[in-house]
Amino acid sequence: MSTQKVWFITGASKGLGLSLAKQLLAQGQKVAATSRNLSELKDAVGVDSSDFLPLSLNLTNEADVQLAVANTITAFGRIDVLVNNAGYGLTGALEELSDAEARANFDINVFGALNLIRQVLPQMRNQQSGHIFNISSIGGFAGGFPGFGIYCATKFAVHGFSESLFHEVAPFGIHVTLVMPGYFRTNFLGAGSLNTPQKEMTEYTNVRESQQAHQNSINANQPGDPEKAAAVFISVSGQAAPPFHLFLGEDAYGLAGQKIALVQQEMEAQRALATATNF
């Protein structure tokens, strides 16, 4: 990259966030990276440089988020790219997950991202430039995954507010890209990133089968390479007109195509009935 940028990446101690942070630093970019565990973050990135600002961050604490953004601007003078990457998975049928379990997933995956956006936007508006990557999931576009209803709901929410945000901030020269990855070989399906129901119901055999498949056969066998995914982020950030929709991975493209075809098929089947509704 010919132009040095300041990146702010959440959830950077592992997975896609870590791959992205390390690649950017290797290319001479400035990176503010966050994690709940500061020492874990420093060890994972493994770089001692004035271009790297490790930050301990509780995404659900607005004052904490405000301080992290302020410290980044103090250190680097600006924020060019925000990557809302932090989040975790949650399995469980809608009936068996408690209100507390569902709300906790929304707190991190949805409201945590919104907290960052609110704090970063004043700086980007003043600059009249910026790029926000909101990491959703193919499960935020096609929700046909038994036992992932709440997680998919959080990612559908990210999709919804990102689409509005795209239009709201365009007049300020700010780009928004919604990233919808498929399966990438990170620790996302491991015990530290995928929560399971506190009270499982034996009736939901299809949910248990899906849960076991994700924890066992799919985990560590995902087709996507996180290093290649990080390279896509960097490439898209350099485009003059970056896309809003960014499906990531061959599997994501396949699932998105199936969902689009199904919607078109159902729309056509009901067109005569469903459009005869005007006065």
Side-chain angles (χ1 to χ4, degrees):
M1 296 174 67
S2 58
T3 304
Q4 190 178 60
K5 293 181 180 180
V6 177
W7 291 64
F8 190 106
I9 307 169
T10 65
S13 63
K14 54 189 176 182
L16 289 174
L18 177 59
S19 295
L20 180 58
K22 294 176 78 170
Q23 283 191 34
L24 288 167
L25 288 167
Q27 294 179 16
Q29 303 301 301
K30 294 184 180 294
V31 176
T34 80
S35 175
R36 290 171 295 181
N37 187 314
L38 192 59
S39 61
E40 181 181 297
L41 172 63
K42 291 178 180 178
D43 290 343
V45 175
V47 172
D48 184 10
S49 165
S50 60
D51 288 339
F52 176 47
L53 179 64
L55 298 163
S56 175
L57 179 61
N58 177 1
L59 283 172
T60 64
N61 185 314
E62 288 187 274
D64 208 26
V65 173
Q66 184 177 27
L67 180 61
V69 171
N71 286 341
T72 301
I73 295 170
T74 297
F76 297 140
R78 59 192 291 121
I79 295 175
D80 297 300
V81 186
L82 167 64
V83 182
N84 275 313
N85 171 68
Y88 70 92
L90 176 66
T91 66
L94 294 177
E95 184 182 356
E96 64 187 353
L97 287 171
S98 68
D99 179 76
E101 288 171 302
R103 288 179 185 272
N105 205 207
F106 270 86
D107 280 343
I108 297 297
N109 293 6
V110 179
F111 294 107
L114 289 171
N115 285 342
L116 249 304
I117 290 167
R118 277 195 301 271
Q119 295 301 325
V120 167
L121 276 180
Q123 176 65 29
M124 288 187 172
R125 283 191 294 101
N126 288 337
Q127 296 168 185
Q128 292 288 291
S129 66
H131 195 162
I132 298 173
F133 286 90
N134 288 332
I135 313 303
S136 177
S137 164
I138 187 57
F141 185 82
F145 300 92
F148 283 85
I150 293 299
Y151 173 75
C152 287
T154 69
K155 295 305 186 177
F156 268 84
V158 171
H159 190 148
F161 75 65
S162 296
E163 194 159 351
S164 291
L165 182 67
F166 173 88
H167 295 281
E168 291 172 0
V169 300
F172 306 113
I174 301 170
H175 301 293
V176 177
T177 296
L178 176 75
V179 187
M180 291 165 281
Y183 290 105
F184 280 83
R185 199 167 300 178
T186 68
N187 54 1
F188 178 74
L189 296 178
S193 298
L194 182 65
N195 287 12
T196 55
Q198 295 177 5
K199 296 182 179 180
E200 295 182 354
M201 298 175 60
T202 57
E203 291 87 347
Y204 285 100
T205 55
N206 61 336
V207 170
R208 294 289 81 75
E209 289 170 358
S210 175
Q211 179 179 320
Q212 292 299 319
H214 281 82
Q215 290 176 309
N216 299 314
S217 59
I218 297 175
N219 190 28
N221 291 301
Q222 299 96 323
D225 181 348
E227 296 300 319
K228 292 180 179 178
V232 172
F233 278 72
I234 296 170
S235 178
V236 169
S237 74
Q239 295 177 4
F244 172 70
H245 300 96
L246 179 59
F247 294 98
L248 202 55
E250 189 175 353
D251 54 346
Y253 263 74
L255 288 167
Q258 293 173 20
K259 171 68 177 285
I260 292 167
L262 175 62
V263 170
Q264 291 177 326
Q265 176 185 341
E266 292 184 336
M267 286 179 67
E268 287 305 311
Q270 301 299 324
R271 179 183 292 274
L273 176 65
T275 60
T277 53
N278 289 347
F279 285 103

